[in-house]
Structures are given as C-alpha cells and as structure tokens.
Amino acid sequence: AQTVTQSQPEMSVQEAETVTLSCTYDTSESDYYLFWYKQPPSRQMILVIRQEAYKQQNATENRFSVNFQKAAKSFSLKISDSQLGDAAMYFCAYREPFASGTYKYIFGTGTRLKVLA
Amino acid sequence: GAVVSQHPSRVICKSGTSVKIECRSLDFQATTMFWYRQFPKQSLMLMATSNEGSKATYEQGVEKDKFLINHASLTLSTLTVTSAHPEDSSFYICSAPQGYNSPLHFGNGTRLTVT
C-alpha cells in the first residue's frame, strides 16, 4: 500500500529565513501526483503546490518550491522568505493513478511550522 | 477557482441522534467526493469515496451503517452520522477534484460535538 511519511512533527523558522519540510512516500506506480497542502488554525485546507511525477522539473509557486527526487521517492517543500502567515500545519499528499474512475489521496501525518518574529 | 461549500460548520447534538453534513460543489460538477475525518493535531483520515449515482466506497474500519453517504447529484454529497455517540466527535472535511488533473478542493469542515 502507498504510504506518505513526514518525519518532522514540528519545525521552526525565523521570519524572512528559509525552511525545508521533508516528505517521503512509497509507491510502485510510475505516474502519480504529489501535493503540499497548508492547514492554518482556521482548519481550511489550502493547496500550496503540486507536482506531476512524469515531470522532471521541480514545481515552484512564488516563495514555495519543491525538490522532487523520484528515484528516492522524496518530495520536500522549501519556503523562502518565511512570513508570519506561513505558520500552519503542512501536509504532504500522494494521489494514486486514475483507475476505474476513482483515485485516492493519501496524506502524511503533517508538520507544524512555527514562524518566529 | 473551484469552491466547495460544507455545512454546517459546527454542530452539537445529543447522543443517540443523527446529524447530516452537506457538501456542495458550487461552480463545478463533482462526480467524486471524498470524506475525511480529522482528530486534533492529526492527519486526515479518508473515510469514504462518494461517487455520484452509485454506492460509496468505504475505507476499512469505517462503519457503513453509522456513516451514511449519499451522492444524489453532481453537486451534492451528504454524510449522515447516525445514532451519534461522543466518540464520533471530530472534525469532518469533504473534498472534491474539479477534474482528473485537478487537485482536491476542500470544504471548510464541520466540527461535530456529541454530548
């Protein structure tokens, strides 16, 4: 079964500094999607960034970028110029390949990011 | 962007009663919706996959008769917690992809408290 592991329960970063959140996953598939979601105290899940496994180029969205290492099954999130509003729970997620019209998303256990002023 | 609306946001009910949670896709058709449960400071646990016009697919360990899911239209899925007990108190979140290549769009969640 596919699994997603986030080994850092909690991370702290100074405002304006850079932080990297780790994520590893296990799958035998070659085509899949990976995501990072942010859950602030409001508990609304917000998409941060996505990566298609067939694309070698790492995805970037403004201050957020990923380091996707397919062979190592690693998908880390880098947040540059951290802001107070970045403080949240971050979940790494894996999406199964499409099959029979349905597909599951599997979430990691999350990393709580604290941003220090 | 795609919007998923979930109601109610909070509900308190007495033990033994049933509670219905609605999840609507406001500006797109959702043939598939996912229902998650989240305990405090924990990850999202997939409860079931709801498919429009067919029976939901439940994850192992989730009681089908306790958590009734109906997906009667392309924009509405409901989760009914039947004969609720205090241990059913939790945060329930629905989500739906806009299309095959779309990420999940989440509702705001429902905090259920059973007294």
Side-chain angles (χ1 to χ4, degrees), chain A residues 33 44 50 95 98 103 108, chain B residues 34 38 43 100-101 104 108:
Chain A
Y33 287 80
Q44 172 69 51
R50 60 184 282 187
R95 201 206 80 181
F98 185 79
Y103 41 92
Chain B
F34 300 96
Q38 186 179 32
S43 186
Y100 168 63
N101 288 324
L104 282 181
N108 290 337

Side-chain angles (χ1 to χ4, degrees), chain A residues 31 33 35 37 39 42-45 47 50 89 91 95 98 101-105 107-110 112, chain B residues 32 34 36 38-39 41-44 46 49 51 59 91 93 97 99-104 106-108 111:
Chain A
D31 185 20
Y33 287 80
F35 305 87
Y37 279 88
Q39 188 180 42
S42 68
R43 303 191 79 170
Q44 172 69 51
M45 293 288 285
L47 176 67
R50 60 184 282 187
M89 195 75 168
F91 292 100
R95 201 206 80 181
F98 185 79
T102 187
Y103 41 92
K104 294 181 187 180
Y105 287 70
F107 287 85
T109 51
R112 182 170 300 282
Chain B
T32 300
F34 300 96
Y36 291 89
Q38 186 179 32
F39 291 102
K41 298 184 179 181
Q42 293 190 24
S43 186
L44 282 71
L46 180 64
T49 302
N51 295 298
E59 294 301 300
F91 191 69
I93 314 175
Y100 168 63
N101 288 324
S102 166
L104 282 181
F106 286 84
N108 290 337
R111 183 182 301 279

